[in-house]
Amino acid sequence: MRVVLLGTAASGGFPRWNCGCTPCAAARDGKLPSRTQEAAAVTGNSRDWWLLNASPDIRAQLTATSALWPGPGPRPTPVRGVLLTDAEPDHVSGLTELRGEPGLKVYAAPPVLAALAPARAMIDRYASWEWHDSLTTGGFVLSGGLVVTAHPVGVSAPAYLPRRAADERWVTAYRIEDLATGGVLVYAPRLAGRDAELDELLAGADCAVLDGTYLATADAALAPRSGLRRIHTRLDEASPLLDPASAARARAAEAGIEVLPDGAEFVL
């Protein structure tokens, strides 16, 4: 399984366009690396690629990743679809950039699919897509030999919804297993904290890419675990982990927590 971290910043990216804080100013001056909004891509065969979230920066992210470039043939793009973790704008607005490509498959929890109803109707007018319940019993199989199960990890509904019904399925994490290698990735860029369900989700995984928006929350979720590679993503402008020279970054490294740049690729 190949995994590419397309973007590693929280909503708005880093630096944020309307923020003059010290870290954002440092990024504009080239003193800290810039980051696009969180998203990733995964494949089990290096031909069929699946996006994990579709950020507003998805066009630039796809352009910066040669493995995702289109080529000749009846299906020039290697992108087969998208797995959404929630309905937040920084994770779904990139879907409109993908419009016009027929046959893409989008997986999301039922409340997320419902929230996206207007966008789905618009997108399907350009080209018909397949929209699937990610929480289907037993999980689902992606082309390329990947088996996926989705797990609810948060109840927070997007603020843009006029009526935000309580639902434990608003935020999900994905456990992705490569049938050929047995490698297991847990992708959970939004977390409410650590609980028994998260512990169960991480059990037996080889790599966890988890919420780094709030350092304390992420550290609690990423307690040391034998054999588990731990990577922070979705860092906001207040995170001290954005600075490679910070004491927080050094402590994270000592604890075995990685902070990787946009475009980083690894294999499971």
Side-chain angles (χ1 to χ4, degrees), residues 204-223:
D206 297 290
C207 179
V209 180
L210 304 186
D211 188 352
T213 304
Y214 301 106
L215 182 60
T217 300
D219 279 344
L222 290 173

Side-chain angles (χ1 to χ4, degrees), residues 4-262:
V4 179
L5 301 181
L6 300 176
T8 54
S11 177
F14 180 71
R16 290 176 63 95
W17 73 273
N18 61 343
C19 182
C21 70
T22 299
C24 284
R28 291 189 183 93
D29 289 340
K31 297 175 183 177
L32 291 178
S34 297
R35 296 173 183 267
T36 58
Q37 294 169 88
E38 179 268 315
V42 62
T43 181
N45 61 4
S46 297
R47 296 186 303 276
D48 300 299
W49 284 86
W50 297 87
L51 304 180
L52 303 174
N53 289 327
S55 84
D57 303 316
I58 195 65
R59 179 185 177 280
Q61 292 168 341
L62 294 174
T63 300
T65 308
S66 60
L68 300 176
W69 290 353
R75 289 197 73 183
T77 176
V79 175
R80 301 295 177 245
V82 187
L83 283 62
L84 300 174
T85 60
D86 52 69
E88 294 294 338
D90 49 318
H91 287 159
V92 304
S93 58
L95 292 174
T96 60
E97 290 290 330
L98 305 176
R99 69 187 185 279
E101 176 63 26
L104 293 186
K105 298 180 179 181
V106 180
Y107 293 86
V112 175
L113 292 174
L116 294 178
R120 291 170 55 185
M122 181 273 288
I123 290 170
D124 284 342
R125 287 184 177 273
Y126 287 89
S128 180
W129 287 5
E130 297 179 23
W131 303 85
H132 298 279
D133 178 359
S134 63
L135 292 173
T136 182
T137 303
F140 51 95
V141 179
L142 301 177
S143 60
L146 301 177
V147 176
V148 182
T149 53
H151 303 262
V153 292
V155 301
S156 177
Y160 62 80
L161 294 176
R163 297 178 180 177
R164 289 178 278 174
D167 196 313
E168 295 182 351
R169 303 169 298 169
W170 273 115
V171 183
T172 56
Y174 289 102
R175 183 182 175 94
I176 305 171
E177 180 178 358
D178 187 330
L179 289 176
T181 66
V184 175
L185 169 72
V186 171
Y187 197 77
R190 288 189 66 201
L191 290 170
R194 182 175 180 177
D195 56 25
E197 186 167 355
L198 178 59
D199 285 341
E200 182 178 348
L201 183 62
L202 295 177
D206 297 290
C207 179
V209 180
L210 304 186
D211 188 352
T213 304
Y214 301 106
L215 182 60
T217 300
D219 279 344
L222 290 173
R225 184 183 298 271
S226 176
L228 177 65
R229 183 179 183 183
R230 297 165 290 161
I231 300 171
H232 277 194
T233 193
R234 197 169 169 265
L235 304 171
D236 70 12
E237 67 275 9
S239 173
L241 294 180
L242 291 169
D243 184 353
S246 69
R249 188 76 165 261
R251 289 195 300 271
E254 289 175 0
I257 296 171
E258 299 178 61
V259 179
L260 302 179
D262 287 10

